Amino acid sequence: MVKEVVVRFGDRLQPSPARFKRLMRGRTVISVERRAKLLRLRLSGGWNLFVHLKMTGRLLLKRSGSIPTKHTHLVFRLSGRRELHWEDVRKFGYMKALPDAQAETWLAGQDFGPEPLRTGFTWRSFAMCLRNHPKAQIKPLLLRQDCIAGIGNIYATEALWSARIHPLRRVERLSDKDLRRLHRAVTSVLRRAVKAGGTSADDYLDIFGEEGGFVPQLKVYGREGRKCRRCRGLLRKMRIGGRGTVICPTCQKKG
DNA sequence: CGTTAGCCCTGCTGGC
DNA sequence: TGCCAGCAGGGCTAAC
C-alpha cells in the first residue's frame, strides 16, 4: 500500500506532482503487466500506473529510509517498511497515471504490434507484419514497436546475427525461409534473455538491484573487433538509423 | 502515406 | 586529480 509519494524530479510525471501524490496515496498494486516496453501497474480503485524506463530507468524495491541517489526521481513509501524508488540518469523515462477507461484508450493509441512471446505469434504472423513494409530495411523495422512490440537494439542485433541476416536487407529481399529463421531467432533470444534475468550491458537492474545474466550469452552486441563465435571472422560495428549495430560480415551477407 | 535526422539528458570512455 | 568528442539498451517530433 502506498503511504506517501516523495517527488524529487516531477517533470516526467503525469499528472502534475501534487495531483499524482494525492492520487497514489492509499492504493495497492493489484498486478504488474507489460505491453511492448511499457509497464502497467494495475492499482486499486480502478487506476493504472504506466511506467516507461527507456534506457537508464530502474525501479528498485528498498527498505524504508533508503537514501535516494542523485538520479532518484521519486520514492513510493510503502507499507511493510518498504519503498519503491524510481531512478533514471538520463531522464528519458516517464510515469503516467490513468483511470481504467482512459488507460485503455491511451494504450490503444500507442499502436503496438504483436507480442513476440505470446502464443499465437507464429512465423506466419511475424512474416505478415514484416511484409507490410516490403521496402523497409529489416533492422530499423524490428525496432518499430508498431510492427513487432518489445524488441530493442540489443535483441534486434543478436537475432539478426543468429538468423544470418544483414541488418540493411530489405524485407522484399528476404525469403520465407529467412523470415522463419528470424522468427525463431527473435523468440529464442528474447526467451533466453528473460530466463537469464535480462541484459545488464549498461544500466539495467531488476527490482532487487540485481544485474541480469544475459551478457555472457551475447554473441555480437558489445563484441565488435572480436571473433565471431560461429565462423571466427572479425565482428564489425556499423551505425544504422543512428543506432549501433554489430554484425559478422561473413555470416551476414547483404546479398 | 513512409523514412530519416534531431532531440530529450547525463555520464563514461577513448583519443589526444 | 585534463579536455573534449562521441556514444549509450528509446522513442517522439519535425522535416523531407
Side-chain angles (χ1 to χ4, degrees):
Chain A
M1 196 267 290
V2 180
K3 293 201 292 193
E4 187 193 3
V5 180
V6 180
V7 178
R8 302 177 76 251
F9 302 109
D11 47 330
R12 307 290 296 174
L13 213 53
Q14 278 187 356
S16 63
R19 290 223 298 145
F20 186 90
K21 288 162 92 162
R22 234 179 301 132
L23 226 140
M24 288 295 126
R25 195 168 294 135
R27 297 194 192 278
T28 56
V29 179
I30 293 165
S31 65
V32 181
E33 298 160 22
R34 177 193 58 77
R35 179 72 174 108
K37 296 171 190 169
L38 196 59
L39 291 174
R40 177 184 192 171
L41 281 66
R42 289 187 186 266
L43 306 176
S44 54
W47 278 79
N48 300 266
L49 179 61
F50 290 99
V51 184
H52 202 311
L53 297 173
K54 298 283 179 92
M55 295 189 283
T56 55
R58 300 162 170 175
L59 288 176
L60 297 167
L61 193 61
K62 304 190 181 195
R63 299 159 58 141
S64 2
S66 298
I67 312 297
T69 69
K70 194 176 164 188
H71 306 294
T72 304
H73 285 230
L74 61 80
V75 177
F76 295 87
R77 298 189 51 236
L78 306 172
S79 53
R81 297 172 177 243
R82 293 173 305 171
E83 292 174 353
L84 185 65
H85 289 225
W86 173 35
E87 302 177 356
D88 188 354
V89 171
R90 287 172 75 181
K91 299 185 168 73
F92 283 177
Y94 62 85
M95 279 194 183
K96 190 182 183 74
L98 289 174
D100 283 342
Q102 279 179 252
E104 299 309 329
T105 312
W106 180 72
L107 205 50
Q110 296 292 299
D111 199 25
F112 290 133
E115 287 289 335
L117 292 185
R118 242 186 36 203
T119 53
F121 186 75
T122 60
W123 83 267
R124 285 185 185 283
S125 57
F126 179 62
M128 282 238 295
C129 300
L130 297 180
R131 296 229 184 269
N132 280 333
H133 311 272
K135 299 286 179 195
Q137 297 168 331
I138 186 60
K139 195 204 173 205
L141 189 58
L142 283 178
L143 294 176
R144 277 180 51 170
Q145 304 300 297
D146 61 341
C147 185
I148 313 292
I151 301 175
N153 196 38
I154 293 179
Y155 302 130
T157 300
E158 290 293 306
L160 287 166
W161 176 86
S162 177
R164 304 174 193 244
I165 294 170
H166 193 285
L168 292 177
R169 284 265 289 280
R170 296 190 188 278
V171 171
E172 63 187 355
R173 303 219 36 257
L174 292 167
S175 65
D176 279 356
K177 207 175 160 187
D178 289 326
L179 295 187
R180 211 179 308 203
R181 281 205 318 280
L182 186 56
H183 170 265
R184 208 178 164 65
V186 165
T187 52
S188 160
V189 72
L190 290 177
R191 255 192 284 273
R192 286 185 291 117
V194 169
K195 193 173 176 185
T199 308
S200 296
D202 287 291
D203 303 285
Y204 172 74
L205 296 177
D206 72 13
I207 199 163
F208 302 113
E210 298 291 327
E211 290 190 359
F214 195 62
V215 169
Q217 293 187 60
L218 292 172
K219 303 295 200 300
V220 281
Y221 183 86
R223 299 191 69 246
E224 58 270 23
R226 301 176 62 191
K227 284 179 181 169
C228 173
R229 297 200 156 134
R230 208 159 40 203
C231 77
R232 301 279 130 202
L234 207 60
L235 299 178
R236 208 182 75 219
K237 185 156 185 176
M238 48 199 297
R239 182 149 282 269
I240 299 172
R243 318 299 301 278
T245 306
V246 185
I247 66 162
C248 170
T250 312
C251 296
Q252 294 163 273
K253 296 283 189 204
K254 182 118 191 280

